[in-house]
Amino acid sequence: MNEFVLALGWSGIYAPMAIGAIGSAIGCGIAGQAGIGAMLETESGYGRYIGISAFPSTFVIYGIVVMFTLDRTVTPENAGGLFGIGVFAAAAFLYCGIWQGRACASAINAAKEKPEIFGLSLAPAAIIEGFAVFAFVFALVISAGIPGAGQ
Amino acid sequence: MSSSDAYVMLMSSLPKPGPLFVAKQTPLSRLKLNMRLRVLTPEEKEMLKLVEQALLWRQLPMEVSDRLVIDRGRTALSRIDNETLQSIVRDRLEIRTCVAALRRRSRGEGPPPAGNAWGFGRWVGHIARNWSDPAFALQGVFPWLHEADRLMARNDSIALERLLLSEAYKRLQRLEGEHAFDFEAVVIYVLKWSIVDRWARYNAEAAARRFEDLTETGLADYAALSFEGDVR
């Protein structure tokens, strides 16, 4: 039983990074496809499309930071906390990545037709980023209370 | 990743087709559109073809019977397994049924007898029962019927065509809001493109006729000049 609990603890440490990377990859993939499609149709502004396509890459960075924050010797006492924080932060990063990718795809699609709304069309993607930042900040704050921090 | 994500690139590569009645030509040619649509699977291409065949009558000969048109619509509906696409085909054919009824009435004909193949959809019997009502008692479903009846009575075929195309376009636009990056969005785009193309072609034909008239008027007696300058 102890080994299983320890395994959960370890998976909690690594989950934010791995699942955040998955979320970023899917998000960048969706937005990237929209960017490529828009480049087929437009004569300029390619850099903007690629820039928007890279927006969802931030979730893997949050995941890496949360992973290092949670990194400590896993014991039966702290494994549950590590698992809970790690896995739920990871789930938030995954969903934010996918939906930010879709929001970016819509932004690219809209900005292709109306370049003047380029900045405003990114607002939904920025709001989704905000939710991920909440999960990220609170994961950092709450991880300080898990036994074994600073070892 | 959901299956809808596969359409992100395709939809992003398609320029906006509108605005209707303002655009002098479609934003991309049919050849270019077909090239973009090459990313669809064979099943999707077949489905798109079915929808287009059921709705685009330009290729049909003038002497085609009502029965054949109705059968084409029914065949398409039975083979389309997508609810949104079914509703698109059904709605358009029902609009045409209403217009067919208006035309029959404007020619002084009475309601078609029951069992006679002349229309398509839910309102065929209802229209026959309410033949004397200007909008066949369907103004709640088709608010434009009164206006269509008025335009038909005035013999204003251009305004009537504008009204019908804008109604069809509006219905597609409403559905477009529910479908951003999926196969339905692709079909809606192609149908909107077809409406814009149809209107643009009307304008081109009118312009060609006008040009011909002006040329004839301008050249007057010299219209038949040969290359050598000899009047034939």
Side-chain angles (χ1 to χ4, degrees):
Chain A
M1 185 61 186
N2 252 6
E3 285 76 15
F4 179 67
V5 171
L6 293 178
L8 287 181
W10 281 111
S11 61
I13 293 174
Y14 191 61
M17 193 267 159
I19 298 178
I22 294 171
S24 287
I26 295 175
C28 287
I30 296 170
Q33 287 177 66
I36 294 166
M39 281 192 266
L40 269 176
E41 190 42 47
T42 51
E43 300 298 328
S44 61
Y46 303 150
R48 290 197 304 195
Y49 302 139
I50 296 299
I52 301 175
S53 306
F55 257 37
S57 57
T58 49
F59 304 109
V60 67
I61 300 169
Y62 299 151
I64 291 169
V65 176
V66 174
M67 181 187 74
F68 281 124
T69 310
L70 293 177
D71 188 26
R72 67 203 66 193
T73 307
V74 181
T75 62
E77 288 74 38
N78 67 12
L82 294 173
F83 177 78
I85 295 170
V87 167
F88 285 108
F93 298 153
L94 175 68
Y95 264 78
C96 289
I98 294 170
W99 283 101
Q100 195 181 65
R102 289 181 181 157
C104 288
S106 295
I108 290 169
N109 207 15
K112 174 193 77 182
E113 298 294 343
K114 260 186 153 182
E116 64 269 25
I117 62 161
F118 174 71
L120 206 57
S121 67
L122 290 176
I127 292 167
I128 295 169
E129 185 79 22
F131 295 132
V133 170
F134 287 151
F136 169 65
V137 170
F138 286 107
L140 296 187
V141 171
I142 207 165
S143 66
I146 299 177
Q151 285 179 357
Chain B
M1 203 186 301
S2 76
S3 60
S4 68
D5 297 330
Y7 301 99
V8 172
M9 193 189 99
L10 175 58
M11 288 309 295
S12 299
S13 72
L14 299 173
K16 215 174 168 191
L20 187 60
F21 307 131
V22 176
K24 300 283 180 216
Q25 61 179 46
T26 52
L28 79 172
S29 66
R30 183 72 208 202
L31 191 70
K32 214 170 173 186
L33 177 61
N34 287 344
M35 280 170 66
R36 300 274 158 88
L37 294 176
R38 278 194 306 206
V39 297
L40 296 177
T41 63
E43 293 78 25
E44 288 167 342
K45 283 180 191 162
E46 182 62 30
M47 190 77 78
L48 177 62
K49 198 174 159 192
L50 262 176
V51 174
E52 283 197 281
Q53 276 180 347
L55 298 182
L56 303 181
W57 295 355
R58 206 163 45 207
Q59 298 91 344
L60 289 178
M62 285 298 287
E63 62 273 13
V64 71
S65 68
D66 291 349
R67 163 65 68 191
L68 183 72
V69 173
I70 293 165
D71 285 347
R72 278 169 74 116
R74 284 195 181 133
T75 308
L77 277 182
S78 66
R79 290 175 63 191
I80 294 168
D81 55 4
N82 180 300
E83 209 173 298
T84 306
L85 301 186
Q86 277 186 344
S87 78
I88 289 173
V89 173
R90 198 183 298 116
D91 281 357
R92 283 286 287 279
L93 293 179
E94 282 178 352
I95 288 177
R96 287 175 184 178
T97 298
C98 292
V99 177
L102 285 177
R103 288 195 202 284
R104 276 173 169 265
R105 196 171 61 186
S106 73
R107 287 198 302 261
E109 294 178 27
N116 186 5
W118 68 275
F120 186 93
R122 297 163 287 177
W123 310 110
V124 172
H126 182 91
I127 290 170
R129 283 193 298 277
N130 296 280
W131 194 253
S132 53
D133 187 284
F136 306 115
L138 281 174
Q139 59 273 21
V141 187
F142 303 114
W144 47 269
L145 263 175
H146 268 299
E147 176 68 2
D149 184 45
R150 195 180 60 80
L151 293 171
M152 202 170 279
R154 271 175 38 195
N155 215 14
D156 192 347
S157 51
I158 293 176
L160 179 63
E161 188 69 359
R162 279 180 80 104
L163 177 71
L164 297 176
L165 288 182
S166 67
E167 277 305 317
Y169 202 78
K170 268 191 254 173
R171 279 168 183 260
L172 290 172
Q173 271 180 322
R174 272 199 291 274
L175 281 170
E176 195 179 34
E178 298 162 22
H179 299 276
F181 298 118
D182 53 18
F183 178 60
E184 291 90 329
V186 178
V187 176
I188 290 168
Y189 181 89
V190 174
L191 294 179
K192 282 177 72 180
W193 181 94
S194 303
I195 292 175
V196 173
D197 179 55
R198 191 165 151 187
W199 187 257
R201 278 175 194 275
Y202 284 159
N203 290 347
E205 283 163 14
R209 273 199 301 276
R210 174 93 176 124
F211 178 72
E212 211 171 294
D213 291 346
L214 286 172
T215 312
E216 277 176 18
T217 312
L219 290 175
D221 293 336
Y222 302 102
L225 275 179
S226 72
F227 282 110
E228 288 77 30
D230 301 328
V231 178
R232 280 181 276 170

